[in-house]
Amino acid sequence: YLENMNDRETIYTHLNVFETFNPVLPDAYKETDFTFLANIGPELQHNVIRQVKSKFIAMDTMNYWISGTLPALKQTISKVDAMIINDSEVKQLAETDNLFTGARKIQAMGPKTLIIKKGEHGSILVHNDNYFFCPAYPVENLYDPTGAGDTFAGGFMGYLAQVGSVNNTVLRQAVMVATAFASFCVEAFGVQRLKQISAADIKSRVQNLLEYIEINPQLLWEIE
Amino acid sequence: YLENMNDRETIYTHLNVFETFNPVLPDAYKETDFTFLANIGPELQHNVIRQVKSKFIAMDTMNYWISGTLPALKQTISKVDAMIINDSEVKQLAETDNLFTGARKIQAMGPKTLIIKKGEHGSILVHNDNYFFCPAYPVENLYDPTGAGDTFAGGFMGYLAQVGSVNNTVLRQAVMVATAFASFCVEAFGVQRLKQISAADIKSRVQNLLEYIEINPQLLWEIE
């Protein structure tokens, strides 16, 4: 991560054991309703998709796969319901500087739901043709953003799995819960901070986030 | 503006006539309830403050004054109710990398209300100890961001002046109206796009913005 804690540079990527890993899921895992494919090779992700009978599959990816294995990646993308990715990855994958143009181009590849993470600038849920903008939680003691994306995805998928259904209302709430989870991750190294918190802490930040976007929709001045 | 249309570099600043300008307001202007001091030398802004009997004064400033005339700038800041400034200016003025820490440091200089503009990442209203996060309007045909900040400020102050009072509810609505105004500014060069639009166009974008942050506050899963 660079000094602003929002941009990063990849120094090197060693796949190590993942280079030839071919996962075989236990039968019990195949029945899971909600599957998240964390960032890894798209063919490995595709192998998992073939084995599960899920009603909602989401995936992550990264610049390494976009520039290195694009045809396989597009094949995998065409099989999922949602992508949870960074703004820079949207631009690279869709070959555009405009996030909203990019979102539509990725939707055309398959997934109708995108959750675009913008670090300290929050996230954008694109679901079919509607948007939801969620701020990042205001954190003054930012320590290390590593793992925030995976924590976000975990909170997001966990909320969907608990509710058991997917629609615009649930997706918006899931983004907010995910944001609360991620905000704790960045306050310490690794999972240190996440190990300290309770459900009440998550609830409290979700409640704050709700207040941060609360607005009276009745304008007091009727613009003429 | 750089290629991402969100960061800018100042090549040079020539003050020209503003170097020695000392405004004398007509009597009718002195009675205005809402005054906005656009970006210019802090002593000139201060001269205007001395002449008006306003109930709400907001000001803008820029890196040029923060690095060049800081003592005079701080004197002016201490006299206003609100600042409408960019995120980079908050960090420079408060000498911190954290926007929220910076906001509190600027509040300690005087103004209890800050509207922090983050370009494509929207804006943050800090009013006393509460936050409101407003997304930027999603624009796919971004042409030139020049003037967006002044358009934003105009929409913001105009809404306050029409309503005639300032509180948390009105300030949040004003930020949203301001965002709608600014979104038209960036779609063409200068004021070209603003000259084409009607009140209905502003209303329509405000309505969309309301939908972009709408959320059901009743979580469907009670986190245990």
Side-chain angles (χ1 to χ4, degrees):
Chain A
Y1 281 90
L2 308 184
E3 208 168 330
N4 68 8
M5 289 289 195
N6 211 38
D7 298 319
R8 64 181 169 195
E9 255 177 42
T10 301
I11 313 294
Y12 54 76
T13 303
H14 287 326
L15 292 177
N16 300 328
V17 66
F18 283 113
E19 195 137 11
T20 55
F21 178 56
N22 188 12
V24 178
L25 297 190
D27 282 348
Y29 286 22
K30 295 178 183 171
E31 305 294 328
T32 187
D33 279 341
F34 293 85
T35 298
F36 175 63
L37 306 163
N39 170 48
I40 194 67
E43 285 173 12
L44 199 157
Q45 291 174 319
H46 201 168
N47 279 347
V48 174
I49 295 175
R50 284 193 198 94
Q51 297 175 61
V52 294
K53 301 185 192 78
S54 296
K55 61 180 177 188
F56 186 86
I57 301 178
M59 68 179 285
D60 188 6
T61 194
M62 235 176 117
N63 50 358
Y64 183 82
W65 310 108
I66 299 171
S67 50
T69 60
L70 191 58
L73 178 59
K74 285 196 174 171
Q75 180 72 13
T76 303
I77 290 174
S78 74
K79 307 287 183 193
V80 301
D81 301 290
M83 289 193 84
I84 304 178
I85 54 177
N86 291 340
D87 49 355
S88 60
E89 291 153 2
V90 168
K91 292 175 182 177
Q92 188 188 355
L93 180 57
E95 294 178 44
T96 169
D97 275 337
N98 188 290
L99 214 48
F100 306 100
T101 306
R104 283 191 289 104
K105 288 176 83 171
I106 295 173
Q107 284 180 315
M109 297 176 192
K112 296 309 167 215
T113 304
L114 300 183
I115 299 92
I116 305 171
K117 298 169 293 177
K118 304 198 297 171
E120 64 171 312
H121 301 300
S123 56
I124 307 174
L125 167 69
V126 186
H127 179 57
N128 299 320
D129 59 356
N130 71 70
Y131 298 125
F132 172 66
F133 291 79
C134 184
Y137 194 86
V139 168
E140 288 194 55
N141 51 337
L142 179 63
Y143 186 82
D144 177 15
T146 306
D150 288 322
T151 309
F152 182 100
F156 180 83
M157 295 300 290
Y159 186 77
L160 292 187
Q162 284 289 330
V163 175
S165 63
V166 176
N167 58 46
N168 197 32
T169 302
V170 177
L171 286 167
R172 288 177 177 220
Q173 294 180 333
V175 168
M176 197 157 273
V177 169
T179 299
F181 269 95
S183 73
F184 286 107
C185 172
V186 303
E187 289 181 349
F189 188 70
V191 295
Q192 283 172 1
R193 187 79 179 94
L194 290 167
K195 284 167 72 178
Q196 295 166 349
I197 62 168
S198 68
D201 296 314
I202 296 288
K203 274 188 190 176
S204 161
R205 290 206 174 172
V206 170
Q207 191 56 47
N208 288 342
L209 282 167
L210 288 168
E211 286 166 21
Y212 297 154
I213 61 169
E214 193 180 284
I215 187 160
N216 180 346
Q218 293 301 320
L219 289 195
L220 297 170
W221 166 45
E222 273 300 311
I223 311 163
E224 298 304 338
Chain B
Y1 280 91
L2 308 183
E3 207 167 330
N4 68 9
M5 288 288 195
N6 211 38
D7 299 317
R8 63 182 170 195
E9 257 176 41
T10 301
I11 313 293
Y12 53 78
T13 302
H14 286 325
L15 293 177
N16 301 327
V17 66
F18 284 113
E19 196 138 10
T20 55
F21 179 55
N22 189 11
V24 178
L25 297 190
D27 283 346
Y29 286 22
K30 295 178 183 170
E31 306 294 328
T32 186
D33 280 341
F34 293 86
T35 298
F36 175 63
L37 306 164
N39 171 48
I40 195 67
E43 284 173 12
L44 198 157
Q45 291 174 319
H46 202 170
N47 279 347
V48 174
I49 294 174
R50 285 194 197 95
Q51 297 175 61
V52 294
K53 301 185 191 79
S54 296
K55 61 179 175 187
F56 186 85
I57 302 179
M59 68 178 285
D60 189 7
T61 193
M62 234 175 119
N63 50 358
Y64 184 83
W65 310 109
I66 299 171
S67 50
T69 59
L70 190 57
L73 178 59
K74 285 196 173 172
Q75 180 72 14
T76 304
I77 289 174
S78 74
K79 307 287 181 193
V80 301
D81 301 290
M83 288 194 83
I84 304 178
I85 55 176
N86 290 340
D87 48 354
S88 61
E89 291 152 2
V90 169
K91 292 174 182 176
Q92 188 188 356
L93 179 57
E95 295 179 46
T96 169
D97 275 337
N98 189 289
L99 214 48
F100 306 100
T101 306
R104 282 191 290 105
K105 287 175 83 170
I106 295 173
Q107 284 181 315
M109 297 176 193
K112 296 309 167 217
T113 303
L114 300 182
I115 299 93
I116 305 171
K117 298 171 291 176
K118 304 198 298 171
E120 63 169 315
H121 301 300
S123 57
I124 307 174
L125 167 69
V126 185
H127 179 58
N128 299 321
D129 60 356
N130 71 69
Y131 297 126
F132 172 66
F133 291 80
C134 184
Y137 195 86
V139 168
E140 287 194 55
N141 51 337
L142 178 63
Y143 187 82
D144 177 14
T146 306
D150 289 322
T151 309
F152 182 99
F156 181 83
M157 295 300 291
Y159 187 75
L160 292 187
Q162 284 289 327
V163 175
S165 62
V166 176
N167 58 46
N168 197 32
T169 302
V170 178
L171 286 167
R172 288 178 177 220
Q173 293 180 333
V175 168
M176 197 158 274
V177 169
T179 299
F181 269 96
S183 73
F184 286 107
C185 171
V186 302
E187 288 181 348
F189 188 71
V191 296
Q192 283 171 3
R193 187 80 180 93
L194 290 168
K195 283 167 72 178
Q196 294 165 351
I197 61 169
S198 68
D201 296 314
I202 296 288
K203 274 186 190 177
S204 161
R205 291 206 173 172
V206 169
Q207 190 56 46
N208 287 341
L209 283 167
L210 288 168
E211 286 166 20
Y212 297 153
I213 61 169
E214 192 180 285
I215 188 160
N216 179 346
Q218 292 302 319
L219 289 194
L220 297 169
W221 167 46
E222 273 300 310
I223 311 163
E224 298 304 339

